[in-house]
Amino acid sequence: MEKKIITSPSIMCADLLNLETSVKALEDIGIDALHIDVIDASFSPSMPLGLDTIKRLRAKTSLDFDVHIMSTNNDWFIEQILAIGVQQISFHYETSLHADRLVNLIKRKGVRAGLALNPATSLSCLDYLLPQLDQVLLMLINPGFAGDAGEKQAAYSEQKISDLAALIRQRKLSTEIQVDGRVSLESIPHLIRAGATNLVLGSTSLYIPGRSLLENKKLLDAAIQNGKLEKPESM
Ligand SMILES: O=C(CO)[C@H](O)[C@H](O)COP(=O)(O)O
């Protein structure tokens, strides 16, 4: 059976001054989950959203919360996010002393667990942990900032996605491959063909200025369909 491609808008790209309205608009166009970046100052200075904001947002929508923790203090942030009540938490391998323990902690609470990898981090860190993971989040840019035209996806992104997809197939797993960073309408067909199953949508897919959210969503659906064809149609 064809695997569903999950769409996860990155909430840091939405109108942060009108968050409740922005989330309602996402509910209206039909997306699968809210991708919420929790960034502390030592991982990256960008810090778009605080824990209190996420807690208040939780009370306003029943959409799934897919939280991406970018922190040097995973233990503390995971405890805080679990207390808010979310459906999926990914944290970074690069800042984890005890990744195995943290994955178990998340899963014991009935929450899906993901491991996030920076572009240059090798897939070999997944050798033993992969069967326990619900998803691997592949950062296609160095994390921290959305929409910065100065940084493009790493040149080896598609290769890394297809290497991971092969690993998942060989081991007969159903791990999701989430991709994040400049996931654009142009790149989506290629990313899906390489094996991505979950797209984090930001400034180059869902939040393109000059077009309504609904118009962008229609173009996005077309790009996803194109990705399911054997060869992408030129867009
Ligand atoms: O994790 C992120 C930044 O670290 C953002 O989710 C990501 O960058 C999405 O925005 P864009 O598509 O504009 O790159």
Side-chain angles (χ1 to χ4, degrees):
M1 202 177 66
E2 191 177 76
K3 202 160 186 187
K4 177 177 160 58
I5 303 297
I6 297 167
T7 51
S8 312
S10 175
I11 206 67
M12 72 188 269
C13 298
D15 179 359
L16 294 179
L17 288 178
N18 297 287
L19 210 44
E20 188 178 350
T21 321
S22 305
V23 169
K24 290 279 172 257
L26 290 171
E27 281 176 356
D28 289 346
I29 60 164
I31 52 95
D32 298 306
L34 291 181
H35 183 82
I36 303 176
D37 290 312
V38 176
I39 309 180
D40 75 12
S42 47
F43 191 96
S44 156
S46 60
M47 295 174 69
L49 286 162
L51 290 172
D52 276 345
T53 309
I54 299 167
K55 203 180 293 174
R56 288 184 197 192
L57 205 55
R58 180 67 293 179
K60 298 286 179 189
T61 178
S62 56
L63 281 171
D64 279 3
F65 277 19
D66 163 38
V67 176
H68 174 191
I69 297 176
M70 292 175 242
S71 171
T72 49
N73 188 354
N74 289 307
D75 296 53
W76 190 80
F77 274 101
I78 288 172
E79 292 285 0
Q80 302 297 312
I81 299 293
L82 284 171
I84 292 174
V86 303
Q87 282 63 43
Q88 178 158 271
I89 300 179
S90 301
F91 61 92
H92 271 264
Y93 169 77
E94 299 84 359
T95 57
S96 307
L97 264 185
H98 305 292
D100 183 276
R101 185 167 62 76
L102 294 177
V103 167
N104 289 324
L105 170 72
I106 296 168
K107 293 189 70 131
R108 268 202 310 276
K109 300 284 180 185
V111 173
R112 288 167 55 85
L115 197 62
L117 309 186
N118 283 335
T121 301
S122 166
L123 297 176
S124 60
C125 68
L126 298 168
D127 277 354
Y128 298 105
L129 212 45
L130 191 59
Q132 296 182 58
L133 298 172
D134 294 296
Q135 89 162 4
V136 177
L137 192 179
L138 294 181
M139 285 306 301
L140 309 184
I141 54 162
N142 293 289
F145 296 93
D148 177 6
E151 188 181 348
K152 294 195 169 72
Q153 280 177 4
Y156 44 80
S157 294
E158 275 176 58
Q159 183 63 57
K160 192 173 181 185
I161 298 166
S162 60
D163 288 348
L164 176 56
L167 219 59
I168 291 168
R169 264 196 317 274
Q170 276 159 24
R171 297 175 74 171
K172 298 188 171 35
L173 299 168
S174 54
T175 326
E176 296 285 350
I177 302 179
Q178 185 174 59
V179 290
D180 187 2
R182 316 301 182 260
V183 172
S184 65
L185 293 174
E186 293 71 26
S187 68
I188 282 171
H190 303 281
L191 300 175
I192 291 177
R193 203 154 293 111
T197 56
N198 183 318
L199 309 172
V200 177
L201 308 170
S203 60
T204 47
S205 51
L206 203 52
Y207 293 101
I208 301 173
R211 286 205 291 254
S212 73
L213 211 53
L214 191 60
E215 284 170 314
N216 282 327
K217 175 68 165 53
K218 283 184 184 155
L219 293 170
L220 176 73
D221 289 341
I224 291 175
Q225 282 313 316
N226 191 358
K228 292 177 179 171
L229 303 174
E230 241 159 63
K231 283 195 180 146
E233 284 168 10
S234 51
M235 306 266 308

